[in-house]
Amino acid sequence: MKLIILNDYDQASEWAAKYIRNKILQFSPGPNKYFTLGLPTGSTPLGCYKKLIEYYKNGDLSFQYVKTFNMDEYVGLPRDHPESYHSFMWNNFFKHIDIKAENTHILDGNTADLQAECDSFEKKITAAGGIQLFVGGIGPDGHIAFNEPGSSLVSRTRVKTLAKDTIMANARFFDGDLSKVPTMALTVGVGTVMDAKEVMILITGAHKAFALYKAIEEGVNHMWTVSAFQQHPQTIFVCDEDATLELRVKTVKYFKGMMHVHNKLVESPPSEPKKN
Amino acid sequence: MPSNKSVSDAPITQFINCRILRDNELQREDLWVREGRILDPEKLFFDEQGYADKRVDCGGSIIAPGFIDVQINGGYGIDFSQASEDVSDGVSFVAKKILEHGVTSFCPTLVTSPPEVYHKVLPQVKVHDGGPHGAGVLGFHLEGPFISAEKKGAHPEKYLRTFKSGGLEHLMEVYGSLDDVAIVTLAPELPGSQSVVRELSQRGITVSLGHSAADLSQAEEAVQQGASFITHLFNAMLPFHHRDPGIVGLLTSDRIPAGRVVYYGMIADGIHTNPAALRIAHRAHPSGLVLVTDAITAMGLPPGRHTLGQQVIEIQGLHAYVAGTKTLSGSIATMDMCVRHFKQVSGCSVQEALEAASLHPAQLLGISPKKGKLDYGSDAGQSRLHLYFCLPAVRAAVVPPLCPQRFLGC
């Protein structure tokens, strides 16, 4: 694992965005070679999305040959509801960049056969050649996507009933009214994310600190599903100071000491003629 | 990248780098239009996987719904109350010219006239949508002849009428037809008005109170029967009195039926209404304010003397006088001037000023879901969507979806 510790939310967002930018540029996507990106929703990645949009607007990055797969979507929420994950992705990312609609994939929580939708999503990922980089967040209860505590660590895309903690955490997006929050969601499984070539988890804020501690300093445990990535060969955790508050001083010092090495990963690429 | 044509073959235009008046605020958003309708770009993206065929850069301008003028008597030498053979040409001519002021829909207004005039003029013009050729006609505004002799203003006294028994039938005899009529202004104190107001309202015609000496309770009674508008507030009605506010009192009356709003026309040309009076009305009832021009034939003509019908008018700046006198002969303000003036003297926001000329008249006429707003599904075509106007720090753009850009400078 690489643990990247930045001073604050904005720096963490920028580091993550630069990392994604560099990965895409190094891959050199083209019409026959798409870069596949797994994407999260929520407040944590907003800063990262803003930065990626900035890189697109500056002409440094194009999403023309990028395919995206979102982690999850609520069940039963109308697609154009302002809190649906479709709306989130449109308003916070897709509408500002040059990605083609047919290259975006978000689970449809309004189909008649939810499990068939999940199976088809898995097939689409396989058809796209698997995911190069899966970006995710972590819930206060240590979940990745909607893989709530107790989810199988080898699970695949499926329907999940949301935990009370998650519903309460999401209530702020529904006027604080618990009754308005959807109780079920479609989500990629832990196993689905583990299949990605590389996984990057964004964790910011003191309220996520305990989950980060459980995820990286304790054992692999299905009660803290993000811990599964201890067994992935290429995982990066990008966090701010506040998120490290529950970690051992030794852990934090070790990884901070590595920043000069890790920062090489986000250096601006050598200038070259702009593609597209 | 072109749309994938799964829903429609029509090209999609995306207006970028603009501010849109939507949901009562100016939002920094792109506007997407296809075949004269405003699109929801999110639906377009996910459902149709579609994109814009053409992008128009608005340079930071505001895109606002087109203005709706519900009281305009003519302009550019054309008088709508003239019983000529080519009324519809005259209406079309004015319709094209007022596009330049940002007006995309209007109600040609006829002042008090004899039945022959109504019978000749009304059938010649139908309600129709506008386009690049000119603003759309929403229906006639018949201001009179059922008005008060005491408050006739410039209307010819010999053609004033009262309601005979048989209310609406008598009205039909006078007007001939109500098919393409959007608004009727009448004086509610005239005996027999109640049933007329009720029947007109039930037919979907907006009833407006004006040129009237009614007291507040007569006015409230008319509102309860369905009246919903006041013709040029303050003008041609009893002045506000603290023990009987008259028609002006409707702005703050507590006897308006629940869920209904009384709108009021305001000529904000700086001449017909003192700015202090304009502010009082605006502060008392901001959501009911509807900007109107009440423009006469002389509007749009250059300064100097003009012979219009039986009158000689002299235009000096923003004033139109009966030649050789200082008697005002009517308003020659254009709608964009009124919007600008209103914003300046009331201190309201840009969006409030724009809404007073677009959203409020659309709500008044009951066409608000389709016009007067830039919501998804609204009409966006040349006649209905426009943009515009110029405030000191804001440039205006008239950007018809399918026509080249034009800018109105400050």
Side-chain angles (χ1 to χ4, degrees):
Chain A
M1 149 186 98
K2 296 184 183 72
L3 181 63
I4 313 291
I5 305 172
L6 285 311
N7 286 337
D8 57 29
Y9 176 77
D10 289 336
Q11 288 188 8
S13 301
E14 189 172 7
W15 200 101
K18 282 183 176 166
Y19 187 81
I20 297 171
R21 175 197 66 192
N22 285 5
K23 278 280 154 181
I24 296 176
L25 292 177
Q26 275 158 26
F27 184 85
S28 286
N32 298 316
K33 189 182 162 206
Y34 280 78
F35 186 89
T36 46
L37 193 54
L39 293 177
T41 52
S43 42
T44 307
L46 283 176
C48 180
Y49 284 136
K50 282 201 173 76
K51 277 296 186 187
L52 287 171
I53 292 167
E54 202 184 290
Y55 302 149
Y56 159 70
K57 289 202 157 105
N58 290 340
D60 297 331
L61 182 59
S62 164
F63 292 88
Q64 219 189 353
Y65 300 115
V66 172
K67 285 188 177 163
T68 64
F69 289 86
N70 266 69
M71 298 188 121
D72 41 23
E73 173 61 286
Y74 289 114
V75 166
L77 199 61
R79 218 240 347 257
D80 53 6
H81 189 284
E83 292 304 326
S84 80
Y85 287 168
H86 279 81
S87 294
F88 178 96
M89 291 308 297
W90 167 253
N91 285 311
N92 293 304
F93 198 43
F94 296 152
K95 82 174 174 194
H96 304 282
I97 56 173
D98 65 341
I99 195 160
K100 292 190 208 178
E102 55 264 28
N103 292 333
T104 66
H105 301 92
I106 308 180
L107 286 155
D108 181 358
N110 290 303
T111 51
D113 188 343
L114 295 172
Q115 193 50 51
E117 168 68 11
C118 295
D119 296 339
S120 138
F121 198 73
E122 289 273 344
K123 293 201 175 75
K124 285 184 192 141
I125 294 177
T126 311
I131 300 203
Q132 299 288 333
L133 172 61
F134 218 127
V135 182
I138 192 175
D141 60 1
H143 71 232
I144 173 92
F146 277 130
N147 292 290
E148 308 284 51
S151 292
S152 158
L153 298 180
V154 294
S155 49
R156 311 303 306 185
T157 307
R158 68 218 185 286
V159 188
K160 283 292 283 187
T161 306
L162 304 184
K164 183 83 177 169
D165 267 356
T166 304
I167 293 179
M168 293 201 341
N170 286 349
R172 72 189 193 274
F173 298 124
F174 292 88
D175 299 324
D177 184 350
L178 288 176
S179 66
K180 290 201 178 121
V181 186
T183 54
M184 296 211 300
L186 302 184
T187 178
V188 293
V190 183
T192 317
V193 183
M194 283 288 285
D195 281 351
K197 259 187 94 185
E198 188 166 0
V199 177
M200 180 164 83
I201 308 288
L202 304 176
I203 312 179
T204 53
H207 60 301
K208 302 284 177 83
F210 191 73
L212 178 59
Y213 150 67
K214 281 287 185 183
I216 67 174
E217 285 189 338
E218 296 278 305
V220 173
N221 187 328
H222 66 174
M223 283 302 173
W224 301 89
T225 48
V226 177
S227 64
F229 298 108
Q230 292 178 24
Q231 299 200 297
H232 190 290
Q234 292 281 7
T235 306
I236 304 190
F237 287 86
V238 180
C239 53
D240 63 358
E241 283 283 349
D242 285 348
T244 64
L245 289 174
E246 294 284 350
L247 298 179
R248 287 205 167 145
V249 174
K250 188 162 104 168
T251 311
V252 174
K253 283 193 172 200
Y254 172 68
F255 284 104
K256 275 191 171 170
M258 303 263 299
M259 281 306 288
H260 68 286
V261 173
H262 291 153
N263 278 336
K264 293 206 171 88
L265 297 167
V266 292
E267 276 168 2
S268 293
S271 42
E272 47 190 302
K274 301 261 187 282
K275 298 184 181 58
N276 63 288
Chain B
M1 269 160 281
S3 56
N4 77 350
K5 317 290 186 200
S6 64
V7 166
S8 159
D9 274 344
I12 296 172
T13 309
Q14 180 188 5
F15 295 90
I16 61 171
N17 195 11
C18 53
R19 283 172 288 160
I20 307 185
L21 178 60
R22 181 185 278 158
D23 291 339
N24 306 116
E25 56 177 5
L26 285 177
Q27 302 176 348
R28 261 234 166 259
E29 288 286 353
D30 295 343
L31 188 76
W32 298 67
V33 178
R34 174 170 61 194
E35 279 185 310
R37 291 268 137 152
I38 298 176
L39 293 181
D40 178 348
E42 185 180 337
K43 260 200 162 73
L44 178 69
F45 185 82
F46 288 121
D47 279 345
E48 297 181 46
Q49 306 189 328
Y51 307 89
D53 295 284
K54 194 170 105 158
R55 281 205 166 94
V56 177
D57 189 330
C58 299
S61 300
I62 292 177
I63 299 190
F67 299 144
I68 300 175
D69 194 352
V70 300
Q71 187 168 7
I72 167 173
N73 307 290
Y76 302 92
I78 309 284
D79 178 359
F80 297 143
S81 303
Q82 284 288 343
S84 60
E85 297 299 327
D86 57 353
V87 170
S88 105
D89 284 344
V91 168
S92 300
F93 183 72
V94 173
K96 186 165 178 87
K97 297 299 260 181
I98 57 180
L99 279 184
E100 288 163 31
H101 311 148
V103 177
T104 56
S105 301
F106 69 114
C107 296
T109 305
L110 268 65
V111 297
T112 295
S113 305
E116 306 83 76
V117 168
Y118 297 116
H119 292 196
K120 181 132 189 185
V121 171
L122 262 47
Q124 290 191 49
V125 180
K126 304 283 164 217
V127 170
H128 62 265
D129 290 334
H133 53 276
V137 170
L138 295 170
F140 284 99
H141 177 167
L142 302 179
E143 192 186 5
F146 301 97
I147 55 175
S148 154
E150 196 189 321
K151 291 290 175 188
K152 65 183 190 297
H155 291 224
E157 177 146 20
K158 61 183 176 198
Y159 297 127
L160 298 185
R161 285 178 175 260
T162 54
F163 297 114
K164 298 212 181 81
S165 60
L168 196 70
E169 273 165 39
H170 177 220
L171 212 79
M172 295 293 287
E173 276 169 29
V174 172
Y175 292 140
S177 155
L178 289 173
D179 288 344
D180 295 278
V181 172
I183 308 175
V184 171
T185 292
L186 51 77
E189 71 272 24
L190 295 179
S193 75
Q194 288 185 19
S195 65
V196 171
V197 172
R198 190 172 53 243
E199 287 173 55
L200 284 174
S201 305
Q202 278 165 3
R203 274 177 155 235
I205 293 177
T206 299
V207 176
S208 184
L209 308 178
H211 287 277
S212 158
D215 59 29
L216 180 57
S217 59
Q218 286 166 327
E220 284 168 338
E221 181 61 44
V223 170
Q224 273 154 15
Q225 296 298 333
S228 56
F229 194 46
I230 303 173
T231 301
H232 45 56
L233 187 77
F234 297 128
N235 300 105
M237 57 185 65
L238 291 176
F240 175 85
H241 184 281
H242 53 288
R243 275 191 294 277
D244 189 346
I247 292 178
V248 178
L250 285 178
L251 266 58
T252 47
S253 163
D254 56 2
R255 289 186 56 214
I256 311 291
R260 293 220 2 237
V261 177
V262 173
Y263 295 91
Y264 55 100
M266 210 64 172
I267 306 174
D269 62 348
I271 297 165
H272 283 75
T273 310
N274 184 293
L278 175 51
R279 282 190 287 271
I280 287 179
H282 174 240
R283 288 180 202 175
H285 182 27
S287 53
L289 199 152
V290 171
L291 291 172
V292 302
T293 58
D294 201 10
I296 56 164
T297 312
M299 183 270 285
L301 296 179
R305 287 186 173 227
H306 304 274
T307 303
L308 300 167
Q310 306 304 316
Q311 286 194 302
V312 183
I313 310 277
E314 179 152 6
I315 297 178
Q316 291 170 17
L318 280 178
H319 292 71
Y321 299 108
V322 176
T325 74
K326 280 295 177 191
T327 306
L328 286 175
S329 71
S331 155
I332 55 168
T334 59
M335 187 57 98
D336 58 311
M337 282 184 218
C338 290
V339 176
R340 216 172 290 141
H341 176 81
F342 169 57
K343 180 186 181 300
Q344 212 175 340
V345 307
S346 71
C348 69
S349 62
V350 173
Q351 49 270 32
E352 276 181 275
L354 294 172
E355 284 179 347
S358 57
L359 177 65
H360 293 175
Q363 287 168 333
L364 163 70
L365 296 175
I367 54 175
S368 142
K370 284 280 168 59
K371 296 193 199 312
K373 275 181 165 190
L374 291 178
D375 292 345
Y376 303 137
S378 293
D379 289 337
Q382 221 321 11
S383 74
R384 309 150 215 188
L385 166 74
H386 269 100
L387 345 158
Y388 50 97
F389 81 43
C390 192
L391 289 178
V394 166
R395 268 174 54 226
V398 175
V399 189
L402 304 170
C403 295
Q405 266 183 329
R406 278 181 342 200
F407 288 87
L408 299 175
C410 268

